[in-house]
Amino acid sequence: MMSPIESRTVHPGATISGELQVPGDKSISHRVAMLGGIASGESSIGGFLASEDCLNTLRAMRVLGAEVDISENGSVNIRGVADNPSSPSAPVNLGNSGTGMRLLTGLLSGYAVTAELTGDASLCSRPMGRIRDPLQQMGARIDLTRDGTAPLIIHGGSLHAISYALPVASAQVKSAVLLAGLHAKGETVVVEPVETRDHTERLLLNLGVELEIDGLTIRLKGCGEDGLRINGGDWFVPGDISSAAFWITAAAAREGNKLVVRNVGLNPRRTAIIDVLRRMGADIEVLAREGGNVFEPYGDVTVRGSALRGTEVGGKEIPNLIDELPLVAVAAALAEGETVIRDAAELRVKESDRITCMVKNLRVLGVDVEERPDGMVVRGPARLLGGSVRSFGDHRVAMALTVLALFGSEKVRVEDVECIQTSYPRFWTDLERVGGSVEGR
Ligand code: S3P
């Protein structure tokens, strides 16, 4: 029997205020799970994001032979496979996660294993040729469907280093090549077209891997046949700026709001949403903190609400705010004047086609929006209508629309919200914590 589609009805008019701490960073959680899982000895991870996506990565590491223990307070202990993963006997399901699938494919390519990776309908429709090409150049064989998608089969082992200029600005592709490079003979070089998130590089450096970063060029010395000697670590994952962004945007867009988000990741390759909101007139203060086994920048963000105005986003800024672009469209609908989002065609191959999905939903709510091949133009401020919007199974679309619904004058029903579990299981509780109110299940 099909389970009924879950929906929530969002009440408009909330004052967004108070203090909160959002759950751990998704990108970092995936990476510590994988590297802790492949390392020798124990890793202890505080603040791990126990969302479906990251739990799938932990399950995958278990299938490869790691011992994984998740405690009630959310900390995770992993005893790694000491550079000796087993070949899984059945397909490994990564659910909805592009990061899980692409990074694990890179990591496993360096081992003499055969592994089939699969995922849900969304993940199995996303492009995987972008990782197959460099990994095959390194000597792995990656079988994809005729459409260049998953399910995929990795035949790994005996890699040699390559020099690879990324054809797309993608941290996932960069990371897949670097993780494969760990086992390659020689020096793997990756050149990015523009800066993308660098969580993999930071974690590898934290683990003592020989890696050099020079502008857009990353060089990593592979262990070749010597075997990888990395020991597990003791890490704390800061809050996810991409989750905090929902509340930061909601608080920024109305006078009278005041919100503090504590201990959130402030990696400069992830914080463009703060710059964009500031350009739109938002009042945001950032206080950096230090220490506590957090190997990434983090701190507190204080937002005071004000009227917003339109802006332009494009170029180098896009990878830094790729996951926040649905929210930028929401802020644009609330802002005075025109906002242009360009150079963001990558949005079409995320968990959904985020350009089309956002444009359709924004129109349902009465927003003046024009779809472009690489983005959209939004003219605000909208006089928002009530009605029903749909996530199309995309967690960030569901959460961005919920934020917009707080600003109408009628209730809005957000349909198909189970997908939020993939990245932010506590989303509805946190919405209520900051002053929002919803009905339904
Ligand atoms: C991620 C990188 C981004 C981002 C995704 C997480 C990562 O994807 O959209 O949610 O953890 O490396 P791309 O690098 O493919 O753009």
Side-chain angles (χ1 to χ4, degrees):
M1 200 177 75
M2 292 256 294
S3 51
I5 289 185
E6 223 181 276
S7 69
R8 291 286 191 289
T9 300
V10 183
H11 295 217
T15 297
I16 301 297
S17 63
E19 271 196 36
L20 93 162
Q21 197 157 313
V22 293
D25 186 273
K26 181 148 84 83
S27 291
I28 301 176
S29 295
H30 277 297
R31 286 157 171 84
V32 289
M34 286 184 205
L35 284 153
I38 213 74
S40 298
E42 286 241 354
S43 292
S44 133
I45 309 164
F48 186 84
L49 173 64
S51 74
E52 268 314 308
D53 275 5
C54 300
L55 291 173
N56 279 325
T57 292
L58 277 183
R59 288 180 197 120
M61 298 320 290
R62 239 184 216 147
V63 169
L64 299 173
E67 285 171 36
V68 178
D69 192 47
I70 309 175
S71 76
E72 286 210 341
N73 68 11
S75 69
V76 169
N77 284 296
I78 308 181
R79 175 163 285 281
V81 299
D83 200 33
N84 189 18
S86 326
S87 281
S89 53
V92 178
N93 194 326
L94 279 316
N96 190 243
S97 177
T99 306
M101 180 170 282
R102 294 195 177 110
L103 271 59
L104 199 59
T105 303
L107 184 68
L108 288 181
S109 290
Y111 294 93
V113 296
T114 302
E116 178 169 346
L117 307 188
T118 188
D120 66 10
S122 153
L123 184 53
C124 288
S125 70
R126 296 178 63 187
M128 293 297 151
R130 53 176 65 190
I131 52 165
R132 175 197 50 200
D133 296 347
L135 296 174
Q136 295 213 142
Q137 284 177 31
M138 296 175 86
R141 198 176 105 212
I142 313 289
D143 302 333
L144 303 179
T145 67
R146 225 180 270 163
D147 296 329
T149 54
L152 61 81
I153 302 175
I154 306 158
H155 308 268
S158 300
L159 303 188
H160 52 265
I162 57 166
S163 192
Y164 193 66
L166 291 177
V168 274
S170 164
Q172 293 180 352
V173 178
K174 170 179 66 174
S175 301
V177 176
L178 292 175
L179 293 174
L182 286 173
H183 260 271
K185 258 190 226 126
E187 187 179 69
T188 294
V189 182
V190 182
V191 184
E192 307 197 77
V194 294
E195 288 182 351
T196 67
R197 61 187 72 187
D198 60 357
H199 304 299
T200 303
E201 296 91 303
R202 286 174 184 265
L203 181 57
L204 292 175
L205 285 169
N206 179 273
L207 285 165
V209 170
E210 277 186 61
L211 180 133
E212 269 173 36
I213 303 166
D214 179 11
L216 297 173
T217 303
I218 305 133
R219 298 171 192 280
L220 177 144
K221 190 145 176 263
C223 67
E225 270 141 28
D226 294 345
L228 188 62
R229 284 195 203 95
I230 55 172
N231 294 317
D234 186 358
W235 302 297
F236 197 89
V237 180
D240 197 325
I241 182 83
S242 296
S243 298
F246 296 107
W247 317 126
I248 293 172
T249 305
R254 184 181 279 139
E255 265 172 71
N257 290 344
K258 184 184 169 200
L259 182 75
V260 184
V261 187
R262 299 224 181 264
N263 298 325
V264 63
L266 294 174
N267 179 317
R269 296 195 184 188
R270 295 284 302 281
T271 48
I273 183 66
I274 295 178
D275 306 332
V276 169
L277 288 170
R278 279 181 174 152
R279 264 197 330 260
M280 297 179 84
D283 176 354
I284 304 179
E285 263 172 64
V286 171
L287 176 73
R289 297 195 172 276
E290 272 179 14
N293 289 343
V294 190
F295 63 99
E296 291 254 359
Y298 75 104
D300 300 341
V301 176
T302 302
V303 193
R304 290 179 186 81
S306 55
L308 299 182
R309 54 181 179 271
T311 189
E312 295 203 2
V313 300
K316 286 184 190 166
E317 207 165 36
I318 293 297
N320 192 316
L321 96 159
I322 188 77
D323 292 343
E324 285 66 73
L325 288 170
L327 258 179
V328 173
V330 163
L334 300 171
E336 176 76 43
E338 189 174 273
T339 295
V340 181
I341 301 175
R342 62 164 68 94
D343 306 321
E346 271 293 299
L347 283 183
R348 297 204 181 270
V349 290
K350 292 295 176 188
E351 286 83 327
S352 69
D353 175 340
R354 286 185 175 157
I355 298 177
T356 299
C357 291
M358 284 306 295
V359 167
K360 278 190 180 154
N361 281 305
L362 290 174
R363 285 200 181 127
V364 168
L365 296 182
V367 178
D368 177 355
V369 54
E370 182 192 319
E371 181 165 354
R372 297 254 174 103
D374 65 342
M376 65 186 88
V377 180
V378 182
R379 290 174 199 92
R383 283 177 58 105
L384 293 171
L385 309 170
S388 267
V389 289
R390 283 173 58 196
S391 74
F392 297 92
D394 185 323
H395 56 132
R396 298 209 193 276
V397 171
M399 293 186 279
L401 292 169
T402 300
V403 169
L404 184 58
L406 297 170
F407 291 86
S409 51
E410 289 172 50
K411 292 180 189 176
V412 173
R413 191 171 136 105
V414 185
E415 287 178 3
D416 199 1
V417 295
E418 325 70 88
C419 50
I420 291 174
Q421 296 300 317
T422 62
S423 70
Y424 198 166
R426 219 173 65 202
F427 178 76
W428 301 111
T429 318
D430 281 355
L431 173 63
E432 290 188 340
R433 181 167 302 154
V434 297
S437 112
V438 288
E439 300 161 21
R441 292 213 43 76

